[in-house]
Amino acid sequence: MKKLILLLLLIATPCLSQEMRDVEKRKIFDKKFWLATAVVVGTTVLDVETTARCLRSHTCGERNPLWGRHPSRAKMYGIKGSLAGFTIWSTWWWKRDDMRKMERYEFRNDRKTPEPRIWEKPKQNWYVPALIVGGVNGAAGVYNFANRTQKTVT
């Protein structure tokens, strides 16, 4: 039993004596992330509110098969809100993954690290989901706002 404990201590000693590398921990939830989140939420609200106003005044019709011809505001917020939540989550996941790749890239010349080396600088494309959803929702909101003064749709 004493030999087993001694063996475990000898194995664990190099693990405790290894130097911790000096990695600057970047924050995932920085100003850029919150700006992307605000764009997604703001354009989602813009699209839902302009669609509801347009449907209420009978100046346009809904063509989305998920919502039906005359959806309620709650139904629109439920569907669009869940899509916005998924977009924010995917933006967070992608940004976290990009930061992990960037850490490996910055320490690629350190021969002591067991991590695989990345020889080219990783691309920082974490904002793409927020950009796509924000662009689509913003364009739909502007289109609905422009159509509110058109003639009545029957």
Side-chain angles (χ1 to χ4, degrees), residues 14-15 17-23 103-104 106-117 119:
C15 295
S17 66
Q18 288 179 354
E19 291 181 23
M20 296 293 289
R21 58 186 171 150
D22 221 4
V23 177
E103 282 180 8
R104 288 197 305 262
E106 289 172 354
F107 290 97
R108 71 182 186 274
N109 293 327
D110 187 6
R111 302 277 181 203
K112 297 177 183 177
T113 58
E115 299 177 85
R117 293 183 183 91
W119 295 106

Side-chain angles (χ1 to χ4, degrees), residues 94-109:
W94 204 342
K95 185 168 185 178
R96 185 190 62 173
D97 188 53
D98 281 351
M99 288 187 155
R100 288 178 180 172
K101 286 179 184 174
M102 189 59 85
E103 282 180 8
R104 288 197 305 262
Y105 171 76
E106 289 172 354
F107 290 97
R108 71 182 186 274
N109 293 327

Side-chain angles (χ1 to χ4, degrees), residues 10-142:
L10 287 175
I11 290 173
T13 303
C15 295
L16 294 175
S17 66
Q18 288 179 354
E19 291 181 23
M20 296 293 289
R21 58 186 171 150
D22 221 4
V23 177
E24 177 189 344
K25 294 291 183 187
R26 293 183 184 91
K27 292 173 62 176
I28 294 176
F29 299 106
D30 58 353
K31 290 179 184 178
K32 293 177 184 177
F33 178 81
W34 290 117
L35 178 65
T37 301
V39 166
V40 169
V41 171
T43 56
T44 299
V45 170
L46 173 72
D47 185 23
V48 170
E49 290 300 321
T50 56
T51 301
R53 176 183 288 175
C54 198
L55 289 173
R56 188 175 59 239
S57 64
H58 301 290
T59 57
C60 64
E62 183 59 53
R63 294 186 185 108
N64 190 339
L66 288 175
W67 293 354
R69 298 291 291 166
H70 299 286
S72 67
R73 186 174 283 178
K75 187 175 186 179
M76 288 191 287
Y77 270 117
I79 293 171
K80 283 283 204 178
S82 60
L83 290 175
F86 177 74
T87 302
I88 293 166
W89 174 83
S90 62
T91 301
W92 166 82
W93 183 84
W94 204 342
K95 185 168 185 178
R96 185 190 62 173
D97 188 53
D98 281 351
M99 288 187 155
R100 288 178 180 172
K101 286 179 184 174
M102 189 59 85
E103 282 180 8
R104 288 197 305 262
Y105 171 76
E106 289 172 354
F107 290 97
R108 71 182 186 274
N109 293 327
D110 187 6
R111 302 277 181 203
K112 297 177 183 177
T113 58
E115 299 177 85
R117 293 183 183 91
I118 299 175
W119 295 106
E120 61 185 37
K121 189 171 183 176
K123 296 178 175 75
Q124 297 280 324
N125 294 332
W126 58 268
Y127 55 86
V128 170
L131 185 67
I132 291 171
V133 171
V136 169
N137 286 343
V142 169

